[in-house]
Amino acid sequence: MEAKARARANIALVKYWGKADSRLKIPAVGSISITLDKLWTETTVRFDSGLDTDTLELDGVPRPDRLTRVSATLDLLRELAGTSARARVVSRNNFPTGAGLASSASGFAALVGAGAAALGLTLSPTELSRLARRGSGSAARSIFGGFVEMHAGKAPDGSDSFAEPILAASEWPLEVVVAIAARGEKDVGSGEGMARSETSSPYYPAWVASHPDDLAAARKAIAARDFDALADVAERSCLKMHAAAMAASPPLLYWKGVTVEALHAVRALRREGVPVFFTIDAGPQLKAVCLPEARERVAAELGAVPGVLDVLTTGLGPGLEVETGGR
Ligand code: PMV
């Protein structure tokens, strides 16, 4: 009744922003991401029929405030296993939680992996991806390593809304440099930010309508290992997502001043011929994606941007890893 799993964060190069169904977390648009090797969540789930409620400990601290989504995700697993046993969930991130570093993606992927194993459920990666989606849309992608595509799907029950791997990390070993622009949890989470954009941003319909072209361009760039083409579409998708969010009411602005400075630093490097591009999620951190030979230079330049608190570097990593048997 106990298992442990590790899942890694991922960052989208073509973003997911907006839902077609908020209860089932069916995305309104597909997305393409890379899984990051060195940013992970490790979660142990122990089901115990003696417990009255689920409990969650995150980074050593009890977090009842975050239990609702965790319990709802565990309910899906309990239903599949035909049990009502509550669980003790102990989770740890090796990077800042809730600050736009995709902790919900790695967190829910690890939760589903550990929870399913603890209940003795044998689920395919596709099934795990669909279940992880119910915790957090982007978590569906963290089940897989390397380059991953999430399908928005068309089925009203979400059965065709899952991710799948499109290229192994070893086939195109890009590097990612994360510039930490602020610590601490963000004010408006991605769920709330999406809902606000969907209902009030005049740019939201244009974001959705122009999305298929971006997905097609990214797929083509990845298949051809065309860095410049991937850079163009990734930066476009990122700025478009933020533009839609900024036009919401009340407006959303996830960036700090230092985020913009870091963005300009990446652009300046690219103008010099350094193979690097930026992306930013629902938080202030800037992620620079580059070819391996550019990593040191990119890390040094971003580290020198006034206000950047820290710089993390990582390659691309594998998908969900589950350890059964527990301790
Ligand atoms: O999985 P969520 O609900 O936290 O949404 C993630 C949204 C973005 O990170 C901004 C974009 C993405 O595709 O990961």
Side-chain angles (χ1 to χ4, degrees):
M1 295 298 265
E2 174 171 319
K4 186 174 177 180
R6 180 183 283 201
R8 289 167 175 78
N10 73 75
I11 50 169
L13 304 182
V14 178
K15 303 292 184 195
Y16 150 52
W17 192 252
K19 292 183 182 73
D21 182 314
S22 57
R23 190 181 65 85
L24 294 174
K25 295 211 173 77
I26 299 176
V29 292
S31 50
I32 292 179
S33 62
I34 46 180
T35 301
L36 307 182
D37 193 37
K38 288 198 213 148
L39 275 65
W40 44 255
T41 301
E42 210 166 63
T43 298
T44 303
V45 178
R46 181 186 179 80
F47 286 92
D48 181 343
S49 48
L51 291 172
D52 294 335
T53 56
D54 293 323
T55 63
L56 170 67
E57 184 186 301
L58 183 56
D59 294 327
V61 181
R63 292 295 299 261
D65 56 311
R66 293 197 162 217
L67 198 54
T68 312
R69 270 163 82 190
V70 167
S71 284
T73 307
L74 292 174
D75 284 343
L76 301 171
L77 296 170
R78 280 188 277 255
E79 201 181 312
L80 287 173
T83 176
S84 58
R86 303 288 110 184
R88 178 172 142 76
V89 178
V90 178
S91 191
R92 165 169 91 89
N93 290 327
N94 74 337
F95 60 93
T97 300
L101 278 181
S103 57
S104 67
S106 53
F108 282 98
L111 177 72
V112 162
L119 290 170
L121 293 166
T122 314
L123 302 176
S124 68
T126 301
E127 287 168 307
L128 289 168
S129 177
R130 270 194 294 255
L131 287 164
R133 185 199 83 222
R134 299 286 297 276
S136 182
S138 56
R141 301 185 308 237
S142 278
I143 299 296
F144 303 102
F147 294 77
V148 178
E149 176 161 6
M150 172 76 193
H151 304 288
K154 289 191 171 67
D157 65 354
S159 52
D160 57 356
S161 298
F162 56 83
E164 63 184 345
I166 53 175
L167 189 74
S170 57
E171 297 289 313
W172 199 16
L174 300 181
E175 295 277 334
V176 178
V177 179
V178 183
I180 305 290
R183 298 195 198 277
E185 301 190 9
K186 60 196 172 215
D187 307 335
V188 184
S190 50
E192 155 75 18
M194 284 185 208
R196 214 186 271 180
S197 306
E198 287 156 24
T199 52
S200 68
S201 172
Y203 301 161
Y204 181 76
W207 154 256
V208 174
S210 62
H211 210 77
D213 288 349
D214 290 346
L215 286 170
R219 262 183 231 123
K220 193 169 156 207
I222 291 166
R225 322 284 197 277
D226 183 339
F227 189 86
D228 288 335
L230 187 61
D232 286 346
V233 65
E235 292 188 353
R236 181 166 74 230
S237 177
C238 166
L239 293 182
K240 233 193 265 185
M241 175 198 118
H242 285 276
M246 283 179 207
S249 177
L252 293 153
L253 183 58
Y254 287 108
W255 304 348
K256 302 278 184 201
V258 47
T259 314
V260 181
E261 291 302 332
L263 183 159
H264 283 297
V266 169
R267 286 199 152 180
L269 281 171
R270 192 129 155 270
R271 270 199 303 275
E272 262 184 53
V274 178
V276 59
F277 63 85
F278 65 83
T279 190
I280 307 159
D281 291 306
Q285 330 301 2
L286 176 133
K287 292 102 177 186
V289 181
C290 62
L291 291 178
E293 64 265 27
R295 186 188 58 194
E296 299 306 320
R297 175 84 196 279
V298 171
E301 296 281 343
L302 286 178
V305 172
V308 168
L309 302 175
D310 199 4
V311 165
L312 313 172
T313 62
T314 175
L316 307 190
L320 176 70
E321 294 168 324
V322 181
E323 217 178 88
T324 43
R327 287 164 298 162

